Amino acid sequence: MSPQTIAKLAGGALLIFAVVIMAAAGTYVVHPGYRGVEVTMGRVSPAFKPEGFGFKAALITTIYPISIRQQTAEDQAECYSSDLQQVQVDLRVLFRIPESSVVNLFQHYYGDPFESLVAPRVQEALKEVAALQSAEQIVKNREQIKTRALELTRQKIGSLIVVEDIVIQNISLTKQLESAIEAKMVQEQEAEKAQYLQHRAQIDADTSVIQAKGEAESIRIRGQALKDDPAVVDLRIVDKWDGVTPLVVGGRDGLVYQLQDLQHLRQLNQNADASQSNSSASRNANPR
């Protein structure tokens, strides 16, 4: 192969390579969930590039991808309560960048938008809310603390970034403060238990009084009915009788005998009368 042929082949290869490079440098792809910011020789285009394939000026234009998906970042905030106790809050922040803020955010905030914009506002909001509550209230009312901090964060950031939620994962206090709060909560629970038992005893006492009053009223009504009509006793006896012949009867002396005892007593009386009659007959038959 002659040197001229080799030179032509090398030149063609270089031309093809240059065309490929220029074609690659003149196109871009914005992936799903992202928007592109076009920068040409240091000048930012006011309109973002939507996701998909496009063309750009080769070598002088760069497309920077900005995520508009919801993101989650972890952070810590050290706060002081109204009683000057140090409180450390471990949290997670859910946020996203709206399309309308992509270019503005790229121009005015450098680096990670969470570190440069979201995190400082969240910490500032938490410190403001914690300063109005005692350490004990911060532990007890963590949901209210979160809600108020989220409102303040949104007001401070504005529309540049949408803060979806703030999740408080943990609230750490000093060991001495945790022990004091725990002891106080135990005392409050014991006091509530004692109050409940006292209330229950009062309810039982009131119930007993009501039952006693009811029984007394029932006795009074029955007594008044007996006084007004003594035949009520007979009626009650008839109502209660089960049809079986009673095993006891009343005596003339006011005593109550069982039927068996009464029959035995009658037998003894008959025997005594017979013996007395025989004795009288014997005396009459043998006069002195």
Side-chain angles (χ1 to χ4, degrees), residues 173-237:
L173 308 175
T174 61
K175 296 296 182 182
Q176 296 80 1
L177 184 59
E178 287 181 355
S179 300
I181 293 177
E182 183 179 359
K184 182 178 179 181
M185 293 179 66
V186 170
Q187 292 178 356
E188 290 178 353
Q189 291 176 356
E190 291 178 351
E192 291 178 357
K193 181 179 179 180
Q195 185 178 3
Y196 168 76
L197 293 176
Q198 182 180 3
H199 182 64
R200 181 64 181 271
Q202 183 64 40
I203 292 177
D204 293 341
D206 294 341
T207 303
S208 299
V209 170
I210 293 173
Q211 291 177 350
K213 289 182 179 180
E215 293 176 357
E217 182 66 17
S218 177
I219 293 172
R220 187 191 67 79
I221 293 174
R222 290 198 300 268
Q224 185 64 36
L226 291 174
K227 181 179 179 181
D228 295 341
D229 188 2
V232 173
V233 176
D234 297 335
L235 179 60
R236 294 294 299 273
I237 292 174

Side-chain angles (χ1 to χ4, degrees), residues 79-87 130-136 138 173-174 177:
C79 313
Y80 282 90
S81 61
S82 60
D83 50 357
L84 301 181
Q85 298 294 332
Q86 186 175 5
V87 180
L132 302 177
Q133 305 285 336
S134 66
E136 182 180 357
I138 292 175
L173 308 175
T174 61
L177 184 59

Side-chain angles (χ1 to χ4, degrees), residues 78-98:
E78 291 186 357
C79 313
Y80 282 90
S81 61
S82 60
D83 50 357
L84 301 181
Q85 298 294 332
Q86 186 175 5
V87 180
Q88 180 172 314
V89 182
D90 298 330
L91 52 91
R92 294 166 62 101
V93 182
L94 284 67
F95 69 97
R96 63 179 178 85
I97 300 174

Side-chain angles (χ1 to χ4, degrees), residues 251-270:
R252 290 175 297 176
D253 50 1
L255 299 177
V256 178
Y257 299 98
Q258 294 186 6
L259 287 181
Q260 295 177 353
D261 296 338
L262 184 59
Q263 292 175 357
H264 181 66
L265 182 60
R266 288 178 179 176
Q267 186 65 33
L268 291 177
N269 290 334
Q270 290 176 0

Side-chain angles (χ1 to χ4, degrees), residues 23-287:
T27 60
Y28 66 89
V29 175
V30 178
H31 297 284
Y34 289 82
R35 297 295 181 266
V37 177
E38 181 181 7
V39 180
T40 303
M41 300 182 64
R43 180 176 177 275
V44 179
S45 175
F48 63 85
K49 299 297 183 182
E51 57 188 35
F53 177 82
F55 293 95
K56 64 183 180 65
L59 302 179
I60 62 172
T61 300
T62 305
I63 305 297
Y64 293 92
I66 303 296
S67 175
I68 60 172
R69 295 173 177 172
Q70 179 174 293
Q71 305 177 56
T72 302
E74 296 185 354
D75 196 15
Q76 288 184 345
E78 291 186 357
C79 313
Y80 282 90
S81 61
S82 60
D83 50 357
L84 301 181
Q85 298 294 332
Q86 186 175 5
V87 180
Q88 180 172 314
V89 182
D90 298 330
L91 52 91
R92 294 166 62 101
V93 182
L94 284 67
F95 69 97
R96 63 179 178 85
I97 300 174
E99 286 185 345
S100 58
S101 301
V102 168
V103 177
N104 188 14
L105 194 64
F106 180 83
Q107 282 182 303
H108 297 91
Y109 293 91
Y110 175 79
D112 185 2
F114 177 79
E115 296 293 337
S116 60
L117 181 59
V118 178
R121 304 299 187 273
V122 172
Q123 294 186 9
E124 182 181 359
L126 277 173
K127 291 178 180 179
E128 291 181 8
V129 176
L132 302 177
Q133 305 285 336
S134 66
E136 182 180 357
Q137 290 174 334
I138 292 175
V139 175
K140 289 183 177 180
N141 305 325
R142 59 191 302 167
E143 187 64 27
Q144 298 178 7
I145 298 294
K146 184 208 77 168
T147 302
R148 182 54 182 163
L150 181 60
E151 293 176 357
L152 291 177
T153 300
R154 288 172 174 171
Q155 293 176 7
K156 294 177 183 296
I157 294 178
S159 60
L160 274 178
I161 295 180
V162 177
V163 180
E164 299 289 354
D165 196 11
I166 297 176
V167 180
I168 297 179
Q169 295 180 301
N170 186 40
I171 298 177
S172 301
L173 308 175
T174 61
K175 296 296 182 182
Q176 296 80 1
L177 184 59
E178 287 181 355
S179 300
I181 293 177
E182 183 179 359
K184 182 178 179 181
M185 293 179 66
V186 170
Q187 292 178 356
E188 290 178 353
Q189 291 176 356
E190 291 178 351
E192 291 178 357
K193 181 179 179 180
Q195 185 178 3
Y196 168 76
L197 293 176
Q198 182 180 3
H199 182 64
R200 181 64 181 271
Q202 183 64 40
I203 292 177
D204 293 341
D206 294 341
T207 303
S208 299
V209 170
I210 293 173
Q211 291 177 350
K213 289 182 179 180
E215 293 176 357
E217 182 66 17
S218 177
I219 293 172
R220 187 191 67 79
I221 293 174
R222 290 198 300 268
Q224 185 64 36
L226 291 174
K227 181 179 179 181
D228 295 341
D229 188 2
V232 173
V233 176
D234 297 335
L235 179 60
R236 294 294 299 273
I237 292 174
V238 172
D239 290 338
K240 297 294 183 180
W241 184 46
D242 57 359
V244 180
T245 304
L247 298 178
V248 297
V249 295
R252 290 175 297 176
D253 50 1
L255 299 177
V256 178
Y257 299 98
Q258 294 186 6
L259 287 181
Q260 295 177 353
D261 296 338
L262 184 59
Q263 292 175 357
H264 181 66
L265 182 60
R266 288 178 179 176
Q267 186 65 33
L268 291 177
N269 290 334
Q270 290 176 0
N271 293 337
D273 292 341
S275 298
Q276 185 176 4
S277 299
N278 292 334
S279 298
S280 299
S282 297
R283 286 196 299 270
N284 294 330
N286 299 307

